[in-house]
Amino acid sequence: QVLLVESGGGLVQAGGSLRLSCAASGRLGRMFQSSVMGWFRQAPGRERELVTSISWNSNMTYYVDSVKGRFTISRDNAKNTVYLQMDSLKLEDTAVYYCAADVTSAETWLMGPFDYWGQGTQVTVSS
């Protein structure tokens, strides 16, 4: 069984911060250290988008332009966990955020496709 479980979502005022966590377990727990990890989000009526991703050794990261300078992805391979620190949140950051793992792509490719997905956690930014 492959499990990715997100936590840390919630309601926050614009300008505030949230930290999301995603823990891998089961078969993915054993592959986590070699996997590219990513965070996606999907807002109502919009397509799911890749927000950020990180290489297995944290040496490479990708951020969509809209979150650069505000969001930070990190990982702790010893804990099989990836994090998303979200600062200076804006109303348009409201979405369901999904954690995902790419266990098949080359370690220098951060754009997927992603093989495994979490169930999602809601982030709501209010004015």
Side-chain angles (χ1 to χ4, degrees):
Q1 188 178 9
V2 174
L3 285 179
L4 288 171
V5 180
E6 301 101 334
S7 60
L11 176 64
V12 63
Q13 285 192 325
S17 297
L18 279 176
R19 189 192 195 205
L20 305 183
S21 300
C22 172
S25 62
R27 186 159 56 92
L28 185 54
R30 295 186 287 275
M31 295 187 289
F32 182 87
Q33 296 186 17
S34 60
S35 300
V36 171
M37 298 299 298
W39 287 96
F40 287 74
R41 66 185 178 187
Q42 186 167 22
R46 302 190 66 176
E47 292 188 355
R48 186 177 298 188
E49 68 169 345
L50 176 61
V51 176
T52 178
S53 53
I54 188 169
S55 61
W56 68 274
N57 58 3
S58 303
N59 284 352
M60 297 174 60
T61 56
Y62 161 82
Y63 294 95
V64 69
D65 285 346
S66 59
V67 307
K68 285 180 179 177
R70 301 188 299 118
F71 289 12
T72 304
I73 190 171
S74 61
R75 66 190 296 164
D76 185 339
N77 287 344
K79 296 181 178 180
N80 287 348
T81 301
V82 62
Y83 305 97
L84 179 60
Q85 178 67 41
M86 303 185 293
D87 299 317
S88 302
L89 282 161
K90 303 177 179 180
L91 296 179
E92 52 264 41
D93 295 318
T94 295
V96 177
Y97 283 72
Y98 299 89
C99 170
D102 177 358
V103 303
T104 56
S105 296
E107 62 185 44
T108 57
W109 180 251
L110 303 184
M111 307 304 290
F114 288 78
D115 307 290
Y116 301 104
W117 297 81
Q119 81 289 352
T121 185
Q122 177 69 47
V123 172
T124 303
V125 184
S126 64
S127 59

